[in-house]
Amino acid sequence: MELTTLWFIIIAVLWTGYLVLEGFDFGVGILLPILAKEKDPEIRDKERRVVINSIGPVWDGNEVWLLTAGGATFAAFPEWYATLFSGFYLPLLLILVALIVRGVCFEYRGKISDPGWARWCDRGIVFGSWLPSILWGVAFANLVRGVDLDAAHNYVGGFWALLNPFALLGGVVTLALFVSHGAVFLALKTRGTIHERALRLARPLSVVTLVVAGAWALWAQLAYSRNDWTWAAVVVAALALLALVAAVWVDREGWAFVTSAVTIVAAVVLIFGAMYPNVMPATDPANSLTVDNASSTHYTLVIMTWVAVVLTPLVLLYQGWTYWVFRKRLTAEAIPDPIGLSLRAPRDDADDATDRAAASGTR
């Protein structure tokens, strides 16, 4: 196998890891106000802390897959990286801003003892999860469809050209995939009320995901795929989604999570397989970036391969150990009360005076 093809596959694997792991992070963030919705503010806050704590130890580690995928693209296919990040500048900037907002809200939600601050952080988590969930689908769908590149491999289509029907449906697909993925992850990771709500919500979500993902996959394969063998990815994704629907309806959240992850893996195989041998197809095939005309030198790829062979197993072992350490399910009862913070409605001086008078009258 040529090293250029090998690194195309490695980059696809890195994106697979990112979308599978960060996918349930996004889904959990979107579902935060939907699953933690008790009227009592203190109970609701505990439920939201359960939801956030389910991904608290791992969300930042999951983002490392994105950094690694970007770094590998820059080193292995510098012209692909340059064209992609210049042409998709605005959507990628919006994703970056959303990820920063979400990260800040995760880290600082509990640092200030103020209910209003917690509410704003919750909104930031939802926004920082919802926007990337859509924009990643829009970006990958455009790569499958092909974009307007000139002979110098510069993107000339403009921002609005990226918002075509096929790409917008791709955004809906990734949103649906991630939300259902997050729901089954929460069902797998929690007990009690959140567990029950997540499973109940996962049932209709899985059906919606089956419909929209199936429609997009058929459209992609029939209209834009450059390889017949990607039909295998379409079939695997369809079978996995059917298994997901069955698993959530019989309350088998473990199998549901596995089938949801398999669906995302099959989707990445379809996306990258539909492009190959291009790394960035153009509407005019003569201007497409391929694994050959966009790659680094052979010597660079050899060095990168040896680095990957040595370091990748260590990274996988460390991340696997992290998930093993934090494998236990969470419950609202195990969440301690916040220190120095009451989330109930504030009392005014008249209420306090009334209470003191009532107390003195009962002595």
Side-chain angles (χ1 to χ4, degrees):
M1 179 185 297
E2 294 288 337
L3 286 180
T4 52
T5 300
L6 174 63
W7 273 98
F8 181 78
I9 294 173
I10 290 174
I11 290 170
V13 170
L14 292 172
W15 277 109
T16 301
Y18 174 70
L19 295 175
V20 169
L21 299 177
E22 188 78 329
F24 66 71
D25 290 345
F26 289 145
V28 168
I30 293 169
L31 294 173
L32 176 63
I34 300 173
L35 297 181
K37 56 182 181 180
E38 284 291 335
K39 292 183 178 179
D40 185 294
E42 290 190 356
I43 297 177
R44 182 173 63 244
D45 183 68
K46 280 195 174 184
E47 288 183 345
R48 293 194 175 187
R49 289 163 65 193
V50 168
V51 172
I52 294 171
N53 287 357
S54 69
I55 58 174
V58 298
W59 69 267
D60 49 354
N62 294 342
E63 287 190 347
V64 173
W65 288 82
L66 173 61
L67 300 176
T68 308
T73 304
F74 173 77
F77 300 99
E79 193 160 357
W80 181 18
Y81 181 93
T83 302
L84 178 66
F85 278 78
S86 59
F88 290 22
Y89 177 81
L90 183 55
L92 292 176
L93 177 62
L94 291 174
I95 290 173
L96 178 61
V97 170
L99 293 179
I100 292 173
V101 170
R102 187 185 68 141
V104 169
C105 292
F106 274 142
E107 294 291 346
Y108 287 92
R109 184 183 188 275
K111 303 298 185 184
I112 299 177
S113 298
D114 178 66
W117 173 256
R119 286 193 296 271
W120 276 108
C121 284
D122 291 345
R123 291 169 187 151
I125 291 170
V126 174
F127 166 78
S129 303
W130 172 83
L131 188 61
S133 295
I134 294 177
L135 291 182
W136 281 130
V138 170
F140 279 114
N142 274 294
L143 289 180
V144 172
R145 177 179 178 269
V147 293
D148 294 328
L149 301 181
D150 62 17
H153 298 149
N154 296 314
Y155 176 68
V156 294
F159 173 74
W160 298 109
L162 299 176
L163 303 181
N164 54 79
F166 180 73
L168 292 175
L169 180 59
V172 174
V173 169
T174 49
L175 177 64
L177 275 173
F178 294 162
V179 174
S180 60
H181 196 41
V184 295
F185 175 80
L186 279 171
L188 182 65
K189 188 62 179 173
T190 62
R191 297 186 188 278
T193 303
I194 297 297
H195 168 84
E196 295 168 1
R197 290 175 185 165
L199 262 182
R200 192 161 55 243
L201 183 61
R203 291 164 187 161
L205 281 175
S206 63
V207 176
V208 172
T209 303
L210 172 63
V211 173
V212 296
W216 184 87
L218 286 175
W219 190 354
Q221 179 63 35
L222 293 172
Y224 301 116
S225 180
R226 294 148 186 89
N227 297 287
D228 291 336
W229 62 263
T230 49
W231 274 111
V234 175
V235 172
V236 170
L239 293 175
L241 282 170
L242 289 170
L244 170 63
V245 173
V248 294
W249 281 96
V250 297
D251 297 344
R252 298 297 297 272
E253 62 268 20
W255 282 109
F257 183 78
V258 171
T259 55
S260 180
V262 169
T263 302
I264 296 175
V265 172
V268 177
V269 173
L270 173 59
I271 290 168
F272 279 79
M275 291 193 294
Y276 186 80
N278 301 318
V279 294
M280 197 165 185
T283 50
D284 180 357
N287 296 334
S288 295
L289 284 167
T290 69
V291 292
D292 294 321
N293 65 20
S295 69
S296 293
T297 65
H298 178 78
Y299 184 69
T300 300
L301 296 179
V302 169
I303 294 176
M304 290 175 59
T305 302
W306 281 110
V307 171
V309 167
V310 174
L311 295 182
T312 300
L314 298 178
V315 174
L316 293 176
L317 285 173
Y318 173 77
Q319 191 158 33
W321 175 78
T322 302
Y323 277 90
W324 175 256
V325 170
F326 295 103
R327 68 189 181 278
K328 292 185 178 180
R329 295 184 186 236
L330 304 175
T331 62
E333 292 74 21
I335 300 295
D337 293 326
I339 299 175
L341 171 62
S342 176
L343 295 175
R344 300 187 186 278
R347 299 164 59 86
D348 56 26
D349 294 340
D351 292 332
D352 293 338
T354 302
D355 287 349
R356 287 194 296 271
S360 63
T362 59
R363 289 173 183 164

